Amino acid sequence: MSNTFGNIFRLTTFGESHGVAVGGVVDGMPAGVKIDEEKIQAWLNRRRPGQSKITTPRDEKDQVRLLSGVFEGVSTGHPIGFMVENTNQHSKDYSNIAETYRPSHADYTYETKYGIRDYRGGGRSSARETISRVVGGALASMMMEGTGISVTAYTSAVGTVELQKSYKELDLSRIEDSIVRCPDAEASEQMIAEIEKAKADKDSIGGVITCVVRNLPVGLGEPCFDKLQAMLAHAMLSIGAVKGFEYGSGFAGARMRGSEHNDPFVFRNGKVETETNNSGGIQGGISNGEDIYFRVAFKPTATILKEQQTVNRGRENVSLTMQGRHDPCVVPRAVPIVEAMTNIVLADAIMMNRSAKMPF
Amino acid sequence: MSNTFGNIFRLTTFGESHGVAVGGVVDGMPAGVKIDEEKIQAWLNRRRPGQSKITTPRDEKDQVRLLSGVFEGVSTGHPIGFMVENTNQHSKDYSNIAETYRPSHADYTYETKYGIRDYRGGGRSSARETISRVVGGALASMMMEGTGISVTAYTSAVGTVELQKSYKELDLSRIEDSIVRCPDAEASEQMIAEIEKAKADKDSIGGVITCVVRNLPVGLGEPCFDKLQAMLAHAMLSIGAVKGFEYGSGFAGARMRGSEHNDPFVFRNGKVETETNNSGGIQGGISNGEDIYFRVAFKPTATILKEQQTVNRGRENVSLTMQGRHDPCVVPRAVPIVEAMTNIVLADAIMMNRSAKMPF
Amino acid sequence: MSNTFGNIFRLTTFGESHGVAVGGVVDGMPAGVKIDEEKIQAWLNRRRPGQSKITTPRDEKDQVRLLSGVFEGVSTGHPIGFMVENTNQHSKDYSNIAETYRPSHADYTYETKYGIRDYRGGGRSSARETISRVVGGALASMMMEGTGISVTAYTSAVGTVELQKSYKELDLSRIEDSIVRCPDAEASEQMIAEIEKAKADKDSIGGVITCVVRNLPVGLGEPCFDKLQAMLAHAMLSIGAVKGFEYGSGFAGARMRGSEHNDPFVFRNGKVETETNNSGGIQGGISNGEDIYFRVAFKPTATILKEQQTVNRGRENVSLTMQGRHDPCVVPRAVPIVEAMTNIVLADAIMMNRSAKMPF
Amino acid sequence: MSNTFGNIFRLTTFGESHGVAVGGVVDGMPAGVKIDEEKIQAWLNRRRPGQSKITTPRDEKDQVRLLSGVFEGVSTGHPIGFMVENTNQHSKDYSNIAETYRPSHADYTYETKYGIRDYRGGGRSSARETISRVVGGALASMMMEGTGISVTAYTSAVGTVELQKSYKELDLSRIEDSIVRCPDAEASEQMIAEIEKAKADKDSIGGVITCVVRNLPVGLGEPCFDKLQAMLAHAMLSIGAVKGFEYGSGFAGARMRGSEHNDPFVFRNGKVETETNNSGGIQGGISNGEDIYFRVAFKPTATILKEQQTVNRGRENVSLTMQGRHDPCVVPRAVPIVEAMTNIVLADAIMMNRSAKMPF
């Protein structure tokens, strides 16, 4: 269960790696939104495998097909069904793992939970599941078009290579110039080298994505359980390889004093602003008009080509050597996924916020 | 909206600092659970103000009253309503902030979102809101009694004083011996000193809470959007002052290689276990039977007694000096809140997992 | 579970007949609504026992107490908690049914479902549960104040005494003049006589309530599963004794031809109207601006004072003679309950409809 | 919004008449259920147009395609995506209604609510939307296979031709022998004649479907808002042309006395049973093990070929004569839809009931 995300703007997804298709339904899209199928495809192309030398060479076209909810290029207020067919799946690649639990994968937990496991390519736990998230996020972003709201993510660390600059010091228009999606040219090169080294070692490497939301109006987020940061954290930690989330001052904020951490308000240029932004644009769970920024930690890809110790279904201790085409680092391809989930959270928060005030 | 948390085991809460009462409803509690009102009170006593020299001296008794859903000491399967009356509220203490936005509080965002603000004690954004979470968590824990599942949180950092030991090196039965709720006597003393220093400086300080879940069965958590870590992250980030969440290897995992991070499975003692636990007890979003552990970062209390710059409702830049009785560090009292929210997530995950398999 | 009703405007309830209190939480009330506690009490007084010679003589004051969410008489956008204490409960009255299943009551099904049963006064299945619905409905009605929307229910049948006039031929301002809540004086007298006859016979009698909604804007209701009529039917059939629901032409519509049943549109007085209203004000699940009207069938009260055959917990066939103070007909007191649930459905539909269109 | 039905077993649907496809996602299907795609197709064939002389002659193959969630013929616990492509849609047939509101259709309400309308074939309000319900219901029925639970619906009235026998007097295995789906041969012929007469008159006719559920265990349904009858009523009234719902004694029960209506319990054959079944198998909102039976009223098809008065988008009073291929009576094809929605409600109720009791 729980293949639906969101309260009013809701994404429901389906699909496994080697099933017929992955896809989903966006419900709660208001009528009158311009829907551009090519832009959705452009989002998917940023996520797709085989896009550069540091991603898996698998060639998945990931062609999206909208099935409903759009009429003459505009949303009708009805659910938008969509699908992406699975076309490049080699079932035999995975036959050797039908009987063996890959370390740090979902094989063992799925099989124990469900008593049955679609072992082909990880089934539902495959990264192909994120295709539906990217389509949902692309649709969400169209709802916000023309509002000035921007959602931008980039790679801020790969392994021990960490970008030391704040997002304010970076030229975020340069992100897509880099195959690792880091806007700083120098750091980008180091990160690529780090990934290539891991790959050469038949190993994998983790990393961090930073995401920035700008021009959000004041008032998004709900005060208690659905604070904006709580919805963002939920969204981020629901992405397969994510291990941590922090926003604004984050873990560093825990080391600070209140006098240092508090963001003084100031009225200037006809606006209430804050002098600093340790709050990360959210106060009391609600956007305050400042930039929202957060960091998301990704573990190294669980699939590595080195020999590993593990257990099989017969409860024997065995060794396993994986083969096939895998990403040595998920982070570059996860950048649009982080952006997509952020857009979904914001679209939902915008819709929820419509219920805040009278009159109607 | 969104004052309900959970899918099947659900907590709905209400209440402001200076209203009649705070309280809530737990729906989805199965019938047949022994409900012990004294134990709930004991949970609340760990959260209550005035419990030690490092918490606010406000004396709030926080007496819980169960209103329904329990018959002869046992849950009936019907909703459990509960309330805690607000008895020690001094409305006049807050009159000076009716017109002024406290920095890094919810005053400005609430007023903008709703067009109206109950300024007394922060209203819904008051920490009193967490009373309902603690009652909900205490009830959730009763559902798991006798299963061996344990949820234990402790203070692992205050400001720059960080406990360097892992939870495995600590005697977690010693937590309540320390008023700061740190099981290491030496670190505990340093933390208390850190808090007292902040207090003497009319300032506040942040910190970190670590939480450990043991003896959870394999299978809890849902594969896609409601991964166990996503529900935990949502729960934690919904607590007022929280800035970050990481589980298992966390942000440190982002710096690792896959060969180092993957947890080899091993079959021993008749059980499938992992040699290491960078996964933090969760794989593919589902508990794997190992310990779950995570860290939660808290910012310094926003209320400080130093003079601060801010803005008032009339959009004037003003200075503000707060008075009153406040916690210089929220962390010690937040320990039971972290445990409570964790218990609620687990109770909900247990109930959801009942739907995983046939036959019924 | 499922003690919450509504999608955005949501009522969560708790409480049994002989517990401490019944009550609930309204979440999703927008900020800025004038909340009048006396009006809520007036709603409850229309539902309360002992209000006339044809209702149970039990004297339950049913004093409502708002616990949160209101500041200076206005809603704040935060959840409104409320409770009504149970003060006139005689637990010993019910001791004889602890071991015996009352026919057509919930005793047998509750005990089988939950393995435990609070037998005092029916526990959660008691009509006292509807107190929370009435408070929720009163609050919902306040959200619509000033919009011109009106919700009016009345008794249109008691046993075989059926009011032959349509709601359009009646003076609905006369409903409260009648203790049976029928606006037609002659039918009202016959209905009262019918109830008194049933009472004298130690028996009970069923009836029908008609409800009319006027001045609803076009557009409320969702096209697929939450059609306005589907939400109304759900709401009505969730009331204890209800056996049927029909709106517009209802069951009679099934006997008609399309040419007779279709409602021709006409543009007049600057408005799109329909010449007839077999649609009952709803087309495609969405309000069309015409009056909504529907009928709700209530079975005779299950509690009668005649001897009945039944089974006890020990699986013995036994006879049962009930005593105590009961309504011979639930319909007069159910009129405000029908109105309350209708108001809740409308409030929710209004909030959902805010998400229909761009721009935001 | 609200294109999802159910709490734990959940169906989300999408699709318009003239879009690419209709389809949906079933979430909450437990793992281990045998999924038979041919049986789903057989369900759809009972719903499909062109199946007999009394249905629309449109030839829609309605070929279902399962997209996920099934592995080697068995459910995996993951969402089951499905679609049926729209292949026989003639967009030009509908061009004349782009500017005109068809009486008693959703044209006017959709356009007002959304500001945009996919006028081709009614868009989302098309009966094609029910394809997704039938697939969902077929899947739900597979979950209950082997339990003995049976869900059987049949046509019990067409216009003024009403079947006078109770379901107990009928041979329900004969339903599919009749193109109108009435198990009584004589009534069936009269009903067919009634439909043909309406068709010859360029008119349409309404009717009633009766549905019977047998062998349901005791305990399904939730006590308060999700009483089993409330969920059924919601499900039924969400079907396009439905005007009323009654279960057990229904509206006739409102005319009865309690002594006549109450169902005496009796212990016989090792079981607690009731002597009569005015309760319709549900007491206190929960199944009591007796047969559940209910009636659903359908209005005459809104599309008729007679000339009608109406209004166009320019707010002019105009006359409209529809053409094309339409069902003169929706009831025969609605029989599997009623069964499908009933199966979905029961599957959901079964899953919810798993949460009723400890131990887990």
Side-chain angles (χ1 to χ4, degrees), chain A residues 12-146:
Chain A
T12 300
T13 70
F14 65 84
E16 297 89 37
S17 178
H18 287 62
V20 176
V22 295
V25 185
V26 164
D27 196 10
M29 172 71 84
V33 174
K34 208 167 161 281
I35 304 297
D36 184 336
E37 202 159 334
E38 280 179 37
K39 278 192 191 164
I40 301 173
Q41 192 59 50
W43 274 82
L44 282 177
N45 292 346
R46 291 172 69 214
R47 194 216 76 98
R48 76 185 278 271
Q51 62 183 265
S52 78
K53 63 179 177 179
I54 57 170
T55 67
T56 167
R58 282 198 312 272
D59 184 28
E60 295 165 5
K61 290 243 154 43
D62 295 344
Q63 192 69 43
V64 71
R65 208 173 149 204
L66 297 189
L67 305 173
S68 66
V70 182
F71 182 56
E72 298 178 345
V74 174
S75 68
T76 58
H78 300 295
I80 302 178
F82 62 87
M83 68 186 287
V84 170
E85 303 215 24
N86 292 326
T87 54
N88 187 42
Q89 271 45 56
H90 303 184
S91 283
K92 61 187 166 183
D93 280 355
Y94 297 97
S95 54
N96 68 318
I97 57 158
E99 294 298 315
T100 308
Y101 304 131
R102 291 168 296 165
S104 292
H105 270 278
D107 301 340
Y108 170 64
T109 53
Y110 271 36
E111 189 164 302
T112 307
K113 184 181 184 77
Y114 295 113
I116 178 177
R117 171 166 62 100
D118 180 351
Y119 49 76
R120 301 166 304 167
R124 182 69 175 153
S125 74
S126 160
R128 282 192 71 72
E129 172 260 320
T130 59
I131 288 174
S132 306
R133 298 173 184 246
V134 170
V135 176
L139 289 165
S141 76
M142 289 168 196
M143 201 190 95
M144 292 179 274
E145 214 143 280

Side-chain angles (χ1 to χ4, degrees), chain B residues 8 28-33 77-78 143-144 147 223 350-351 354-360, chain D residues 8 28-33 77-78 143-144 147 223 350-351 354-360:
Chain B
I8 297 183
M29 172 71 85
V33 175
H78 300 294
M143 201 189 95
M144 291 179 275
T147 62
I350 286 169
M351 300 312 273
R354 287 192 186 186
S355 301
K357 259 189 255 185
M358 289 287 288
F360 45 85
Chain D
I8 298 183
M29 172 72 85
V33 174
H78 300 295
M143 201 189 95
M144 293 179 273
T147 62
I350 286 169
M351 300 312 274
R354 287 192 184 185
S355 302
K357 258 188 258 186
M358 289 287 287
F360 46 83

Side-chain angles (χ1 to χ4, degrees), chain B residues 31-88:
Chain B
V33 175
K34 209 168 160 282
I35 304 298
D36 184 336
E37 202 158 334
E38 280 179 38
K39 277 192 191 164
I40 302 173
Q41 191 59 50
W43 273 82
L44 283 177
N45 292 346
R46 292 172 68 212
R47 194 217 76 98
R48 76 185 279 269
Q51 62 184 265
S52 78
K53 63 179 177 180
I54 57 170
T55 66
T56 166
R58 284 199 310 271
D59 185 27
E60 295 165 6
K61 289 243 154 43
D62 294 345
Q63 192 71 41
V64 70
R65 206 172 152 206
L66 298 188
L67 304 173
S68 66
V70 182
F71 182 55
E72 298 178 345
V74 174
S75 68
T76 58
H78 300 294
I80 302 178
F82 61 87
M83 69 186 287
V84 170
E85 302 216 24
N86 292 326
T87 54
N88 188 43

Side-chain angles (χ1 to χ4, degrees), chain B residues 58 92-94 96-97 102 202 303-306 308 320-326:
Chain B
R58 284 199 310 271
K92 60 185 167 186
D93 279 354
Y94 297 98
N96 68 319
I97 58 159
R102 292 169 297 165
K202 300 187 171 190
T303 302
I304 57 174
L305 306 186
K306 283 189 171 172
Q308 299 180 85
L320 172 72
T321 305
M322 305 276 303
Q323 294 182 328
R325 306 156 300 166
H326 302 283

Side-chain angles (χ1 to χ4, degrees), chain B residues 226-271:
Chain B
D226 281 355
K227 290 185 170 76
L228 194 51
Q229 68 269 36
M231 294 170 68
L232 287 168
H234 190 146
M236 294 307 135
L237 269 295
S238 79
I239 301 171
V242 172
K243 302 295 290 188
F245 168 90
E246 58 178 3
Y247 81 103
S249 61
F251 276 88
R255 289 192 290 274
M256 291 164 79
R257 286 273 184 109
S259 56
E260 177 190 7
H261 191 277
N262 280 359
D263 298 316
F265 282 112
V266 58
F267 185 72
R268 67 181 158 212
N269 310 322
K271 271 182 61 183

Side-chain angles (χ1 to χ4, degrees), chain B residues 71 76 78, chain C residues 15-19 22 58 86 89-91 93-98 100 102 104-111 114 116-129 303 322 326, chain D residues 223 227 283-284 286:
Chain B
F71 182 55
T76 58
H78 300 294
Chain C
E16 297 89 36
S17 178
H18 287 63
V22 294
R58 284 198 311 271
N86 292 327
Q89 271 43 57
H90 303 185
S91 283
D93 278 356
Y94 297 98
S95 54
N96 68 320
I97 57 158
T100 307
R102 291 168 298 165
S104 292
H105 271 279
D107 302 340
Y108 170 64
T109 52
Y110 272 36
E111 189 164 303
Y114 296 113
I116 178 178
R117 170 166 63 99
D118 180 350
Y119 49 77
R120 302 165 305 167
R124 182 68 175 152
S125 74
S126 161
R128 283 191 71 71
E129 172 259 319
T303 302
M322 305 275 302
H326 302 284
Chain D
K227 291 186 169 77
Q283 291 176 330
I286 298 167

